[in-house]
């Protein structure tokens, strides 16, 4: 820590923390181990910076009372390993997911999912970090089927990409699939997702037991799949391409085109208890089954 950083009493700071020039840390803030905070940043009460975070210079944390630094909590949580670029503005009350990357100059007005890459003002998700674990190689962010290839393992858990039969006809084209052959489970439920603004993100959950099979029947969207160790992104840009998400696969859909319609087949009726909506809980469950390297 440099001599020109100011740390008030009542601050919790871990080991191997580096604070740049003119960083001010107020009572009630917390900085975990192995963090770097570059210069000209004020860390207000209620800001929690978790292990391994990197903050560029001039990051601004918003709080409700800009005149009383000790009286109001910013209530901002920066997840472990996140990287926040120079000049980023983060609104009060937000959570930045672990491993997220915020591009310099972004203005963050909503929670950022784990391992998302966000940019712009207001900030929006533009991509996802490719690999979670430094011990395992990432996979292609744009996995595609080769010509003539019908099924492909994408390299993330048991996720597979499928090419359905396409019949072209002057009277109109046809895509056909068979349960168990093309859709690898018995379908008990289906739903459609449409009218999704391009900047919005859907999904962001895993299922404990339920299988899902996704087809973008109109327009295009992208699907990010994550097994707790690796992730990849798949573009659903043709009506005869589907992707199978087995249980315990974290799934995200985004980059919807304006007219996109996503069809989802599911192996079970809706059960709220089958959902895992917190990424940290998802990784904890995967680790408990020995599927993630520490």
């Amino acid at each position: 820590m440099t001599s020109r950083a100011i740390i008030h009493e009542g601050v919790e700071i871990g080991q191997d923390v580096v604070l740049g020039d003119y960083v001010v840390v107020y009572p009630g803030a917390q900085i975990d181990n192995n963090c770097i905070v570059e210069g000209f940043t004020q860390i207000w009460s209620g800001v929690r910076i978790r292990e391994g975070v990197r903050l560029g210079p001039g990051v601004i944390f918003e709080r409700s009372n800009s005149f009383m630094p000790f009286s109001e909590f910013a209530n901002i949580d920066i997840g472990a390993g996140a990287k926040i670029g120079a000049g980023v503005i983060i609104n009060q009350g937000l959570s930045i997911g672990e491993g997220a990357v915020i591009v310099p100059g972004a203005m963050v007005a909503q929670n950022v999912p784990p391992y998302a890459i966000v940019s712009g003002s207001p900030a929006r998700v533009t991509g996802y970090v490719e690999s979670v674990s430094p011990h395992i190689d990432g996979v292609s962010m744009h996995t595609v089927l080769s010509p003539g290839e019908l099924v492909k393992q994408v390299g993330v858990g048991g996720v597979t990409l499928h090419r359905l039969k396409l019949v072209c006809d002057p009277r109109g084209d046809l895509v056909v699939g068979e349960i168990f052959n093309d859709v690898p489970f018995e379908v008990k439920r289906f739903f459609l997702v449409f009218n999704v603004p391009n900047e919005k993100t859907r999904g962001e959950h895993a299922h404990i037991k339920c299988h899902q099979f996704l087809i973008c029947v109109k327009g295009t969207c992208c699907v990010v799949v994550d097994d707790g160790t690796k992730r990849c992104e798949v573009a659903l840009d043709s009506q005869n391409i589907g992707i199978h998400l087995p249980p315990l696969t974290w799934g995200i859909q985004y980059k919807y085109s304006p007219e996109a319609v996503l069809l989802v087949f599911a192996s079970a009726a809706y059960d709220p208890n089958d959902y895992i909506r917190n990424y940290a809980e998802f990784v904890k469950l995967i680790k408990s089954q020995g599927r993630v390297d520490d």
Side-chain angles (χ1 to χ4, degrees):
M1 292 181 285
T2 73
S3 60
R4 287 182 286 188
I6 300 174
I7 305 171
H8 290 270
E9 293 183 4
V11 173
E12 296 183 43
I13 295 185
Q15 297 179 347
D16 299 319
V17 171
V18 177
L19 301 180
D21 290 343
Y22 307 110
V23 170
V24 183
V25 189
Y26 288 94
Q30 183 173 341
I31 305 175
D32 290 354
N33 298 336
N34 301 307
C35 293
I36 297 175
V37 181
E38 297 188 38
F40 304 94
T41 292
Q42 298 188 79
I43 302 174
W44 306 110
S45 300
V47 174
R48 171 72 184 274
I49 299 176
R50 298 182 184 271
E51 185 168 1
V53 166
R54 302 291 185 267
L55 294 183
V59 172
I60 298 174
F61 297 109
E62 184 196 46
R63 57 199 173 90
S64 60
N65 191 335
S66 60
F67 300 102
M68 299 292 290
F70 299 104
S71 64
E72 297 288 342
F73 271 39
N75 192 27
I76 294 172
D77 192 312
I78 310 297
K83 296 179 176 60
I84 316 296
V88 166
I89 300 173
I90 302 176
N91 286 4
Q92 63 172 332
L94 296 184
S95 295
I96 309 301
E98 63 181 278
V101 176
I102 303 180
V103 173
M107 194 282 284
V108 183
Q110 59 185 359
N111 292 336
V112 176
Y115 300 101
I117 301 169
V118 300
S119 62
S121 180
R124 56 181 290 185
V125 177
T126 56
Y128 280 82
V129 178
E130 188 168 333
S131 180
V132 180
S133 172
H135 305 295
I136 296 183
D137 293 334
V139 292
S140 171
M141 287 295 288
H142 299 286
T143 300
V144 296
L145 287 165
S146 303
E149 194 173 24
L150 299 180
V151 181
K152 181 175 186 175
Q153 294 277 347
V154 305
V156 174
V159 176
T160 48
L161 198 58
H162 299 248
R163 189 191 307 277
L164 305 175
K165 185 177 181 180
L166 171 63
V167 180
C168 297
D169 190 291
R171 300 167 298 170
D173 299 338
L174 173 71
V175 172
V176 61
E178 296 181 350
I179 304 303
F180 294 122
N181 289 331
D182 299 294
V183 180
F185 53 83
E186 183 179 1
V187 175
K188 298 290 184 67
R189 175 172 58 109
F190 76 90
F191 55 91
L192 297 172
V193 181
F194 55 97
N195 291 338
V196 180
N198 180 259
E199 73 276 9
K200 298 299 183 182
T201 301
R202 299 277 309 191
E204 297 186 75
H205 63 259
H207 288 279
I208 299 171
K209 296 181 179 179
C210 184
H211 292 254
Q212 290 188 313
F213 191 89
L214 285 62
I215 307 170
C216 198
V217 296
K218 185 178 181 180
T220 64
C221 72
C222 288
V223 179
V224 176
V225 290
D226 184 330
D227 63 8
T229 298
K230 296 171 285 183
R231 74 175 53 80
C232 75
E233 179 176 315
V234 174
L236 296 183
D237 54 5
S238 178
Q239 292 88 348
N240 71 323
I241 299 297
I243 185 169
H244 172 218
L245 278 61
L248 296 179
T249 301
W250 189 265
I252 299 164
Q253 304 92 47
Y254 76 128
K255 294 182 182 176
Y256 281 82
S257 63
E259 74 283 14
V261 178
L262 181 68
L263 170 62
V264 181
F265 294 118
S267 66
Y270 174 73
D271 178 2
N273 295 320
D274 190 59
Y275 285 73
I276 308 171
R277 299 188 183 276
N278 182 285
Y279 186 80
E281 292 177 4
F282 166 70
V283 173
K284 183 178 179 180
L285 177 59
I286 296 297
K287 284 184 176 181
S288 73
Q289 298 183 356
R291 291 173 53 182
V292 173
D293 290 348
D294 292 321

